[in-house]
Amino acid sequence: GAVVSQHPSWVICKSGTSVKIECRSLDFQATTMFWYRQFPKQSLMLMATSNEGSKATYEQGVEKDKFLINHASLTLSTLTVTSAHPEDSSFYICSARGASSNNSPLHFGNGTRLTVT
Amino acid sequence: QKEVEQDPGPLSVPEGAIVSLNCTYSNSAFQYFMWYRQYSRKGPELLMYTYSSGNKEDGRFTAQVDKSSKYISLFIRDSQPSDSATYLCAMSTPNYGGATNKLIFGTGTLLAVQP
């Protein structure tokens, strides 16, 4: 089945630094990747949608200059949290969809827990 | 009003019980309905996927969709302690033009199955 790998699984960084999170599709080509954020005991909230080779589409209220998304290949998308602050501490999860599965359910990575001190 | 409503629980049941989890929604354009299971500190794992109305069964799990009532359910038979997790419902709408689907999630229901 479709496997999505996310790295790192957890990261601690100091306030003001930047953190990069990788999302890879291991056994299929992901034309579209989605980045979600989840606060404790809350649902997943879509942050942005990225299509390979084009700029990401951000949801309302998500700062695109703070959350940089790059989808440079069909198997890799990255999310960079720039100038991180404690309020950016959260669980970030990516998901991916292949070219031939436009309406198929999404498969998710295992998430990255970011703690900003 | 949220597009998708889900009781956050927690729901505690004894081992072997039948569990009923539910979501209601307001957007009649939703046609794709999913249930995900999420263990602590892990990403969501797809359990069931249903298109439009009807029932779908997979082992101990049954998903039901009632579009007329805008109500979906997940039933777990013979529940096991290993079923203890957060269960998230999710929904999406058909594509229009080049738009990609988005999933709208419920808040998740925390289930604890007691041995």
Side-chain angles (χ1 to χ4, degrees):
Chain A
V3 178
V4 177
S5 173
Q6 202 169 329
H7 179 80
S9 56
W10 60 271
V11 58
I12 301 172
C13 71
K14 291 187 177 179
S15 187
T17 61
S18 296
V19 173
K20 181 184 284 188
I21 302 169
E22 293 186 349
C23 180
R24 293 180 185 274
S25 57
L26 297 186
D27 55 357
F28 67 102
Q29 293 188 323
T31 50
T32 306
M33 287 188 171
F34 302 85
W35 286 95
Y36 287 83
R37 182 174 181 175
Q38 186 179 33
F39 290 105
K41 299 186 180 180
Q42 293 189 28
S43 187
L44 282 76
M45 298 299 295
L46 181 66
M47 297 174 66
T49 302
S50 73
N51 293 296
E52 186 267 337
S54 62
K55 288 185 179 180
T57 302
Y58 290 80
E59 294 299 301
Q60 192 172 11
V62 178
E63 299 176 59
K64 58 183 178 183
D65 293 332
K66 181 167 187 61
F67 299 100
L68 300 179
I69 292 172
N70 184 284
H71 192 164
S73 78
L74 284 171
T75 59
L76 175 64
S77 175
T78 60
L79 167 68
T80 301
V81 182
T82 62
S83 186
H85 290 284
E87 57 265 30
D88 297 324
S89 299
S90 188
F91 194 48
Y92 293 87
I93 310 174
C94 72
S95 63
R97 169 172 286 138
S100 60
S101 58
N102 224 13
N103 287 321
S104 294
L106 295 178
H107 293 271
F108 287 80
N110 263 335
T112 297
R113 184 160 302 280
L114 170 64
T115 302
V116 184
T117 62
Chain B
Q1 182 189 9
K2 291 181 181 177
E3 279 191 284
V4 179
E5 299 275 2
Q6 184 176 9
D7 186 338
L11 178 62
S12 182
V13 301
E15 183 175 355
I18 296 175
V19 176
S20 173
L21 303 165
N22 313 293
C23 287
T24 59
Y25 62 95
S26 57
N27 187 348
S28 58
F30 286 137
Q31 290 193 21
Y32 305 91
F33 304 92
M34 289 136 280
W35 285 95
Y36 286 86
R37 177 174 61 194
Q38 186 177 25
Y39 291 111
S40 181
R41 302 178 186 272
K42 297 291 186 182
E45 169 195 8
L46 179 67
L47 276 180
M48 301 288 282
Y49 166 51
T50 309
Y51 171 70
S52 193
S53 286
N55 294 357
K56 187 171 185 178
E57 188 173 322
D58 184 1
R60 296 185 295 114
F61 298 91
T62 299
Q64 288 185 350
V65 175
D66 182 349
K67 291 190 72 182
S68 61
S69 301
K70 297 191 180 71
Y71 187 88
I72 69 170
S73 301
L74 177 70
F75 297 97
I76 307 174
R77 291 183 298 280
D78 188 25
S79 56
Q80 304 294 311
S82 58
D83 295 328
S84 299
T86 296
Y87 289 81
L88 297 151
C89 63
M91 309 176 189
S92 69
T93 61
N95 283 337
Y96 292 98
T100 52
N101 284 356
K102 301 180 201 177
L103 290 190
I104 308 299
F105 282 86
T107 53
T109 299
L110 178 61
L111 171 66
V113 181
Q114 307 297 334

